[in-house]
Amino acid sequence: MAVHAPDDIIRAGLVSFLGRDRSIREVLPAKIQDADVIVVVVDVVDASALEGLRGLSNAPTPSFLVVAKYWRSDISAAIDCGVRAVLWRDAFTPAVFIRTLLTVAGGGGSLPPTLQGALMSQVQWTNREVLAPRGLTASGVSPREVDVLRLVAEGKELSEIAAKLSYSERTVKYTLYGLMKRLRLRNRAHAVSYAIRAGII
């Protein structure tokens, strides 16, 4: 991990907790892009703080653990910047810090309940107001495409899928091949594999 803190005292305090787990080691600020997790300490997470995160690492997908007092920003924008976990300073403990570091390093995330609620509300609004009117879901796959993929995964032929869904065979074929072209999938097996990995079916 790397630590970006407003002063040396806070940085030293966070680094001192690393002795609790020998699997975590510090990456010096000069090599911050090599860190699996970048810990950032700020008072307020707002638009300028998020802009600061963008300038901290040139890694394509940085992972930030933010320790903050207040939140005044769009949670979706923070996630787009690479924020994977948030710890409130007034509820901070060394044990929670280490546990959260390991969670983020393992590819997971951790948000306080209030931020989880805000994120859920944003996802719900996006699904309802942006995606649903266009016949899409959050995965970028329409409900019709999901139905077709599910039946392809069950080994059904196009004629069987058409009969099951009350579509013409031509509609099923266009639905499937339109999806494959849009997502650059090579064949039906690749489409099914993608859908399973993405949690679509």
Side-chain angles (χ1 to χ4, degrees), residues 135-143 145-146 149 179 182-183 194 200:
L136 296 173
T137 62
S139 65
V141 179
S142 72
E145 290 168 337
V146 171
L149 280 171
L179 169 74
R182 190 174 73 249
L183 298 179
Y194 169 86
I200 296 168

Side-chain angles (χ1 to χ4, degrees), residues 107-130:
S110 177
L111 297 174
T114 52
L115 295 183
Q116 288 180 31
L119 180 59
M120 288 180 202
S121 295
Q122 287 184 2
V123 169
Q124 189 177 40
W125 182 90
T126 302
N127 285 338
R128 185 181 62 246
E129 303 295 331
V130 179

Side-chain angles (χ1 to χ4, degrees), residues 141-155:
V141 179
S142 72
R144 177 186 286 185
E145 290 168 337
V146 171
D147 290 340
V148 170
L149 280 171
R150 190 174 289 115
L151 292 169
V152 170
E154 292 174 9

Side-chain angles (χ1 to χ4, degrees), residues 41-55:
V41 182
V42 293
D43 280 340
V44 181
V45 177
D46 54 15
S48 64
L50 294 185
E51 195 57 41
L53 292 183
R54 289 187 183 96

